[in-house]
Amino acid sequence: MTNLTGRVREAFRGDKRVDADALVARLDAVRRFLTAVDGLLPDAELVPAHTLVERAGTRLALSRDHTVVALAGATGSGKSSLFNALAQLELSPVGVRRPTTGVTHACVWGPLAGANQLLDWIGVLPRHRFVRESALDADDETALHGLVLLDLPDFDSVQRSHRLEVDRLLGLVDQVVWVVDPQKYADRVIHDSYLREFHRHRDVTVVVLNQADRLSPAEVPRVLDDLRRLLDSDGLTGVPLLSTTAVDPAGMVGLRGALERTVAERQAALRRLAGDVDTVVAGLDELVGSARPAAGPDNPTVDGLNRALAGAAGVPAVSNAVEQAYRHRAGAATGWPVVRGWRRLRPDPLRRLHLPGPTGGRDDPAESLVAATSVPEPSAAQRSALGLAIRAVADRSAADLPAAWPGAVTSAARSRLGDLPDALDRTIAGTDLGLDRRPLWWRVVGGVQWLVTLAAVVGLGWLALGYALRALGLPALDNPTVGQVPLPTLLLLGGLLAGLLVAALTRPVVRWAARRARARAEERLTAKVALVGDEYVLTPVRTVLDSYAQARDALRDASSR
Ligand SMILES: Nc1nc2c(ncn2[C@@H]2O[C@H](COP(=O)(O)OP(=O)(O)OP(=O)(O)O)[C@@H](O)[C@H]2O)c(=O)[nH]1
Ligand SMILES: [Mg+2]
């Protein structure tokens, strides 16, 4: 397996710009992945990818001129104070009762109209939206034009609704400024539940140690060092870390500068989404492997399937009937004419299976569309052999696939099992068994039989006439002789003997030819049955393997940068 996760984890964009087109292409690849695996993998595994595709599509379609930055942190860390200090207005109440902020407040630098749709999507109520522009007092705010700053409720709240609101918003915003204070900066909840989870969003993460004024100047660097160490162990190496003092404008310079740079770059939204794609791709990584899977099962497995299908379709029984039918028909055509009629009375073995009789194939095309043969139903053993063969096809095909796929391959292999019996029966009924044409040699031998029989009849008649004349006292016939033997006797005995001799000589030839007819029919039937196996078992399996290959390629495209 490739370790996409590993590759993704290494990808820290830092100052590297995210190309919008490349990001759109990666999102498109995630979309292709979802299309390829639709219905094949458990939906629960795909929720983050679906969410990403939907969110990213909306975010990119909405304003790209705005950068949405959220102030997130524990209650009392000073989010609202920082929010107000940045806006230089008392927009979000700051209080002593904890938690204070229950709903998200937004402040837009620049015209509100352009940001309204974005705020509708983010879900900030109109009455909690504020505009910095109307209160613009100087050009010094233009550097923040395009900033949409959010003051979030506390994430470690005793109020469940606050936590849900924070979690929802953290999934939507472009950049997060994590606000910690000197008392709680090492709190496990902040690190384990939030900061660590954001390690793939390092390049849209800023951490501020607020209330720095509560520390002595000597303590600030020490606490910052300690916090940096914690951030490193959270996987947030390299993220900007600043100290702020919300109650003193001088203590806001660093954060303000950082926000101005973010707004100027107009990269945060793209970087955030790129981080989301990284996260989703890493989550999907174990669903696909590295090796390109085989296009289908190997030949011995397919042969095994075809054998099992042939057994279940009654190919041995039909081939057997072909051999018997050949002997039956050849006997009727070449046998001694005296007993031929008696042979004809016996039923044709193929007719008994409702397969094409001596007159040839089916005349009515509609008849071949329905299962109409009387080939015996497959035995329990044949049925279970077929089940095992289909299982083997699925197992062999899925051998190289990761754990999520064999189930889909097995379902595909069995998906048309219910249609197989009819399809096999129709195929058997529609296969040319090679008995339609009467071989020329049958006619030659048949003709010879008629000739020698005729000779015997002529001889018999001749002798009978001689006896009759003698009995009536009439002059006897002057029978010609061949050597010592009178010709009529020779004709009668020779004819009879020749007939028996031809019949005796023909029998082994018929047996041999019947075996050949059987082998030929078996070959044709097996080939036709293999086509059914291909359509009903192998094609669905190949479709899944193909989807897998597409999913794998798509995920590779989504992970590359
Ligand atoms: N000394 C000092 N006090 C601060 C600073 N920032 C905030 N405070 C105080 O800390 C308390 C909490 O501030 P808030 O801004 O309400 O904190 P919050 O993070 O918004 O809290 P919630 O809304 O409950 O999540 C208030 O009494 C603020 O005056 C700071 O930098 N220095
Ligand atoms: Mg607050």
Side-chain angles (χ1 to χ4, degrees):
M1 300 252 307
T2 39
N3 197 344
L4 291 177
T5 321
R7 274 194 272 143
V8 169
R9 201 169 281 147
E10 294 312 312
F12 180 37
R13 276 165 283 271
D15 289 335
K16 224 176 98 188
R17 294 185 69 80
V18 172
D19 179 52
D21 291 339
L23 175 66
V24 169
R26 292 182 70 197
L27 287 165
D28 208 49
V30 174
R31 221 170 270 131
R32 276 192 282 126
F33 173 89
L34 289 171
T35 309
V37 304
D38 189 31
L40 299 175
L41 296 183
D43 284 342
E45 310 249 21
L46 307 176
V47 170
H50 279 292
T51 308
L52 165 69
V53 164
E54 198 250 293
R55 271 189 196 166
T58 315
R59 177 64 189 92
L60 291 175
L62 289 168
S63 169
R64 289 204 206 173
D65 297 332
H66 289 91
T67 304
V68 185
V69 178
L71 296 166
T75 182
S77 57
K79 299 177 296 297
S80 303
S81 304
L82 288 174
F83 180 80
N84 292 339
L86 285 165
Q88 296 170 33
L89 293 166
E90 292 300 312
L91 301 179
S92 184
V94 172
V96 283
R97 200 171 56 85
R98 303 263 73 87
T100 306
T101 311
V103 285
T104 304
H105 289 62
C107 182
V108 179
W109 273 257
L112 182 60
N116 264 336
Q117 267 191 316
L118 196 56
L119 288 168
D120 287 344
W121 176 64
I122 290 171
V124 178
L125 295 174
R127 67 172 178 277
H128 296 129
R129 300 175 189 176
F130 306 98
V131 191
R132 188 62 188 78
E133 178 150 73
S134 59
L136 275 186
D137 40 6
D139 276 342
D140 57 353
E141 292 299 307
T142 50
L144 288 178
H145 250 224
L147 173 65
V148 178
L149 190 65
L150 304 182
D151 177 24
L152 266 48
D154 53 320
F155 61 46
D156 58 345
S157 190
V158 286
Q159 301 279 349
R160 199 175 122 79
S161 62
H162 291 195
R163 288 204 302 275
L164 293 176
E165 169 78 342
V166 172
D167 288 346
R168 188 182 70 77
L169 284 163
L170 288 178
L172 301 176
V173 301
D174 301 334
Q175 183 171 62
V176 183
V177 175
W178 299 94
V179 183
V180 296
D181 60 53
Q183 284 80 46
K184 291 209 278 182
Y185 75 89
D187 206 281
R188 282 190 55 174
V189 179
I190 305 176
H191 292 276
D192 292 353
S193 304
Y194 287 93
L195 289 170
R196 194 161 292 175
E197 291 295 306
F198 263 70
H199 70 265
R200 289 202 183 84
H201 291 101
R202 278 177 292 184
D203 30 354
V204 285
T205 295
V206 174
V207 180
V208 301
L209 174 70
N210 189 36
Q211 306 185 16
D213 59 305
R214 292 189 195 269
L215 296 169
S216 71
E219 279 174 320
V220 174
R222 206 168 42 74
V223 174
L224 284 176
D225 280 353
D226 195 31
L227 180 52
R228 172 65 78 190
R229 192 180 49 75
L230 291 171
L231 292 174
D232 286 350
S233 66
D234 291 335
L236 289 170
T237 312
V239 300
L241 172 61
L242 313 161
S243 64
T244 53
T245 302
V247 292
D248 175 9
M252 295 297 297
V253 175
L255 176 58
R256 213 182 156 78
L259 291 175
E260 285 174 1
R261 278 194 299 281
T262 301
V263 169
E265 277 181 343
R266 301 215 306 185
Q267 275 281 299
L270 301 179
R271 283 184 178 153
R272 198 258 138 81
L273 293 176
D276 285 346
V277 179
D278 290 346
T279 309
V280 162
V281 167
L284 297 175
D285 186 26
E286 65 181 30
L287 296 180
V288 297
S290 60
R292 179 166 271 279
D298 51 23
N299 287 342
T301 312
V302 175
D303 289 346
L305 172 70
N306 291 342
R307 269 196 305 278
L309 283 169
V315 170
V318 176
S319 309
N320 211 15
V322 166
E323 183 176 351
Q324 288 172 11
Y326 187 96
R327 284 162 67 170
H328 176 84
R329 295 176 197 182
T334 65
W336 200 34
V338 179
V339 290
R340 254 189 232 181
W342 170 75
R343 276 176 182 278
R344 287 219 175 90
L345 291 179
R346 293 204 316 227
D348 186 283
L350 278 181
R351 279 283 192 203
R352 260 185 277 152
L353 296 178
H354 289 100
L355 287 164
T359 50
R362 289 160 181 279
D363 296 334
D364 179 4
E367 205 182 335
S368 66
L369 292 177
V370 292
T373 73
S374 300
V375 177
E377 288 281 306
S379 66
Q382 282 169 331
R383 240 188 288 255
S384 83
L386 180 58
L388 286 175
I390 290 176
R391 172 117 242 145
V393 165
D395 289 350
R396 299 292 304 174
S397 307
D400 295 334
L401 302 188
W405 289 82
V409 176
T410 305
S411 305
R414 301 176 57 85
S415 59
R416 304 194 66 189
L417 199 55
D419 301 332
L420 258 181
D422 275 359
L424 289 173
D425 207 33
R426 278 201 302 275
T427 298
I428 298 285
T431 301
D432 172 13
L433 297 173
L435 291 188
D436 290 354
R437 279 197 307 121
R438 293 157 63 86
L440 183 65
W441 71 269
W442 287 9
R443 276 184 233 164
V444 173
V445 174
V448 170
Q449 285 286 31
W450 277 115
L451 273 180
V452 295
T453 306
L454 191 68
V457 169
V458 169
L460 182 66
W462 196 335
L463 286 177
L465 184 64
Y467 280 119
L469 291 177
R470 217 175 302 150
L472 293 173
L474 296 170
L477 292 172
D478 187 13
N479 285 339
T481 58
V482 178
Q484 299 292 316
V485 188
L487 185 58
T489 312
L490 185 68
L491 281 175
L492 174 61
L493 293 179
L496 289 176
L497 275 176
L500 289 173
L501 189 66
V502 169
L505 288 177
T506 310
R507 193 165 301 139
V509 180
V510 167
R511 256 193 236 130
W512 171 81
R515 278 198 300 276
R516 272 198 49 187
R518 174 204 180 105
R520 202 169 46 225
E522 197 162 8
E523 202 173 295
R524 288 184 187 181
L525 287 166
T526 307
K528 284 288 180 72
V529 159
L531 291 180
V532 174
D534 197 272
E535 184 183 345
Y536 285 73
V537 180
L538 298 179
T539 299
V541 166
R542 277 195 219 105
T543 306
V544 175
L545 294 179
D546 194 45
S547 297
Y548 171 80
Q550 285 176 21
R552 185 178 146 278
D553 291 349
L555 200 60
R556 185 184 291 166
D557 293 348
S559 71
S560 62
R561 62 209 65 253

